[in-house]
Structure formats: structure tokens, C-alpha cells
Amino acid sequence: MRKEYDFSRAKRGAVIPSPGKTRITIMLDDDLIELFRAKAEAQGMGYQTLINAALRDAVAPKPARKAEDKPLTVAVLRKVLREELHH
């Protein structure tokens, strides 16, 4: 390698685009950034990838609840008990 390089006429190259991604600037709380960085390091991935996954999960459609998945209320419990005790 040379001991000196002349960059006086150098030009910055184009940034290689990532298909399907857009570079933005976003302000996030420091504690959130640190949380995502720590989680990302533990999982061996980038923190921005982890933030992207969390955002995807937040906007993903949730599966529809079935009728039997409804929370049990006092009125429903009383009705079921009456029906069972009647038989």
C-alpha cells in the first residue's frame, strides 16, 4: 500500500439502493434505541432490522376471534351453569 493517497479530486460514489427500502430520518427515544440495540446484539442481528420487525408486527392484521374465543362473562357463566344443572 502507498504511504499517501491523493483524494483531492475524489468523488463520492453512489449509495447502492436496497430494493423495497427507503432511507429516512426518524427521532426515537434514547431508551428505545438502547433496548433494540441490546436485543439485536443478543440475537445477532441489526437493531434497525429488529425495529422494522416490531413495526411490521404492530401493523399486521390480527386473526379474527372465533365465537368460542370470547371472554367468559358472569352472565354467560350463569347461563351455562343453569343449563348444565337443569340437565
Side-chain angles (χ1 to χ4, degrees):
M1 274 181 80
R2 292 185 187 175
K3 292 188 179 199
E4 273 189 47
Y5 289 92
D6 180 16
F7 292 104
S8 63
R9 297 189 319 176
K11 294 182 182 176
R12 183 179 175 102
V15 176
I16 299 172
S18 296
K21 297 198 178 249
T22 302
R23 181 178 299 274
I24 64 166
T25 301
I26 184 171
M27 301 294 287
L28 300 173
D29 295 338
D30 292 338
D31 58 331
L32 284 175
I33 296 291
E34 290 306 313
L35 176 94
F36 276 101
R37 283 186 175 156
K39 282 187 174 187
E41 185 175 330
Q43 295 179 20
M45 61 191 316
Y47 77 97
Q48 292 178 345
T49 302
L50 204 57
I51 292 171
N52 196 57
L55 288 170
R56 280 199 179 280
D57 186 50
V59 298
K62 306 296 183 229
R65 290 176 62 161
K66 299 175 186 170
E68 61 267 11
D69 290 342
K70 287 184 181 177
L72 185 61
T73 63
V74 173
V76 172
L77 181 59
R78 285 183 180 148
K79 180 180 176 188
V80 169
L81 288 173
R82 284 188 193 119
E83 289 174 0
E84 291 298 317
L85 292 174
H86 183 64
H87 294 286

